[in-house]
Structure formats: C-alpha cells, structure tokens
Amino acid sequence: MFSLFRTMNIGYRLSAKAAIWITVLSLLIAIMCQTGASAAPKEISVYYNGELVTFKEAPPIIRDGRTLVPFRSLLETLGFEVDWESANGESKATGTKEGLVIELTIDNKIALVNGRKVELDVPAQIVDERTMVPLRFVSEESGYAVSYNDSNDKIVIRITDKNGVATGDGTAANDGNDTVEPYILKGVVVDLGGRPVPGATIYADNQLLYNSNEIAVTDANGRYRIELSRMATTWSASGEAAIELNGVSSKVDLTPDNDDPFAGNTGAIRNFVMKTATGSIIFHMADLWNPVDSSLPPPDREDVELTVEPVGESSGGAGKTYVGHGGVTNNGFGIEGVPIGRYKITARLLPKGEPAQKLLVRTLDKGEFAESLVTDFENIIGAYYRIEIELKLP
C-alpha cells in the first residue's frame, strides 16, 4: 500500500509541473503573437507637392527613427540627375541639379552638399540589394519642406516647396526680413539649393574711411544683422564663406543680389548666394625647341590637350573630368572655371596632321616631370584659386 501511494503521489507531482509549463508556454505564445502584431510595419505614403510618389524598387522603411527610400526614385522625383559609382571598396550615390550636387556614400554618416560636409543621423545603406537614402535630409537639402504625420496604422510624409529659399535666378528670398531699417544692414545667405549658410562672414565697408569695416557672422538660419556707425557716409556689402575640401579650409566669395552702395541713414537689405568656387589651371611650355628633333617646330601651347580628372573632393560636389585645349584668360593661358579641389592632370600634344604625343607635367618650377600630376588648387589671394603647371615633351 505504501509503495502504491508513493507512486501515485509522484505521478500527481509530474502532472502539476506539466500544467505549469503548459501555462507558461501559452503565455509566451500569446506575448509573441501580440508583439508580432504590434511590430507589424506601418504603411508609409510619400507625397511630393500633393502627388503620391511611387517607389518601384522598394517600399520606404524606418531605420533608427528615420525614413529611408530608394535613392533613384526620390532624386528623380525632385528633379535630379542620378549617378552611381563604386570603386576602391566604396559605393556612392550622387544627385546633380542646377548647380546642386548631393553625394551619399553607403554606410557613411558624412554626406557632401556641394563639397560641404553634413553629418547624417542614419547613413545611406543597402537594404535587400537596394540603395536606400534618408528622405528628410535629401529633401531639405534640396530646398523643400518635409511634414510627417504618424497615425495608428499609417505614416504620411509630404514634401512641399518651401518659402524663403533661393529663387530661380539664384537670389535669396527675404522670408519676412524685408523691412529696411535706418543704420542697419541685414539679410540672409543661402547656397544654390536655397539652404541657409551658417558661419558666413558679411562685411559692411565704410566708403568714407579706409579699412573701417563692420562685420557680422550668419546664424544657424543663414541670417545676419549689422548695426552701422551713425555717420554721413555710404556703405557697400560683401561676404565670404568657408568650405572644407580634402582637409583644407577654402574661402568662397558670396554673390549679393544687389551690389549697389547705400546710405547708412537709410539702411539696406543685402542677400547673398554661395556659388561654386572655381579657379584657373594655367600652363607653360618648358621646351623652347623640339627635343625629339631640333629641326621640327617647338611645341605650341594651342596644340596642347589637358585632361583634368577629380581625385578628391571638389566644390562642385561629384565633379567632372575636363578635357580640352587652353585659351587666353585674365590670369594666363589655360583653362578657367574649374571647381576648386584635387585633380589628376595629364596632357597630350596634338599638332594638326601629326600623331598625338604624351607630355610630361609638373608644378611650375617644382619637382620632377612625370606623366601625371595630382595637386590641389592654390589660394593666391582672397577667393582667387589657381593651379600653375609646366609641360614638356619626354
């Protein structure tokens, strides 16, 4: 009897444990189901100026609180030409639009906007073999406003034109800052995309006294305000900003919407645009005779073809390769209007009716001649930049 009782008691204990485990498992399954249901992704709809944007490559997603969308669809919707480049283990998506260049490197939180570095909360990234980029960053850097509405089961994002950005001709809108005040110079500084430029320096130059500038620095909204000295004189306004390229800070002149002098007692509004900083590539011929055959005519600079290829950051953003012949400029013989930055330069001699010949290149009066030269623009004075090189036949 005793042994039978113990056996039955043990059986009862095992059944109780099983019941507990069944209860625990049931609770876990219920929690998992509830969590799975609550974690279901919300539908994300994006509207551009009132029209629904269709992302054919992949739907928008949320990562670390930021909305990511396929880069090609977004940039083309905003009017950009898009490009994809992959080299040296680095992949980069680039959008170009009317002087505005946005570069997004995959898995890199630093983006470039016309060469200006901008830190991202979430980088561009590859998701299911699709390139996804942060919607708000690209839209706002393109001069648009972004609104975000998160309801119970749906997220609606609207991209709309924003008042107070650059107008079509590149001048800045006042955005409520259009009341002229006596003895006050004020305005706003934006880039070509209409985004505010903080940290730019604005000068009010007293036309009566030499070297008597009043100076202000733009705030986070690109705005500045200068209280002028109360004297009977006229003033002129100018400005400059700094961009960082290849670890070097470079100055960029600002373009005013009105460069007329003004009377101090009336005050004035002067808005500025930061345009792409450019420089000149000036070249000289080292050969006074033809080293291959002295009976032949010496190399002619008009027959030189330069190839200027960007290898680092440039003020034009993604940059472009320049191939062409030089001409007479205000600063010498060469090519002008090249966005400042770092470039690889090669050259060929292309005399009419004769085969092309490679030219050797070096910085003027510096170093050894080589088949190519990698160099940065040199700041000569103010915002004037130049690369000066020397060419010769091998």
Side-chain angles (χ1 to χ4, degrees), residues 6-55:
R6 290 186 60 187
T7 303
M8 291 175 63
N9 189 43
I10 292 173
Y12 171 76
R13 287 181 181 177
L14 290 175
S15 297
K17 289 181 179 180
I20 292 171
W21 279 109
I22 290 172
T23 302
V24 171
L25 288 173
S26 299
L27 289 171
L28 287 173
I29 292 171
I31 292 172
M32 289 173 66
C33 290
Q34 184 177 359
T35 302
S38 62
K42 294 184 178 183
E43 178 186 350
I44 303 174
S45 299
V46 178
Y47 291 84
Y48 170 65
N49 283 339
E51 294 188 10
L52 180 65
V53 180
T54 301
F55 296 99

Side-chain angles (χ1 to χ4, degrees), residues 179-186 204 206 214 225-235 262-269:
T179 302
V180 179
E181 302 177 53
Y183 297 106
I184 296 293
L185 172 64
K186 62 183 178 179
N206 185 328
E214 304 281 357
R225 180 183 176 90
I226 300 177
E227 295 189 10
L228 304 173
S229 301
R230 293 178 176 267
M231 60 176 66
T233 184
T234 57
W235 301 77
F262 61 93
N265 63 340
T266 62
I269 293 172

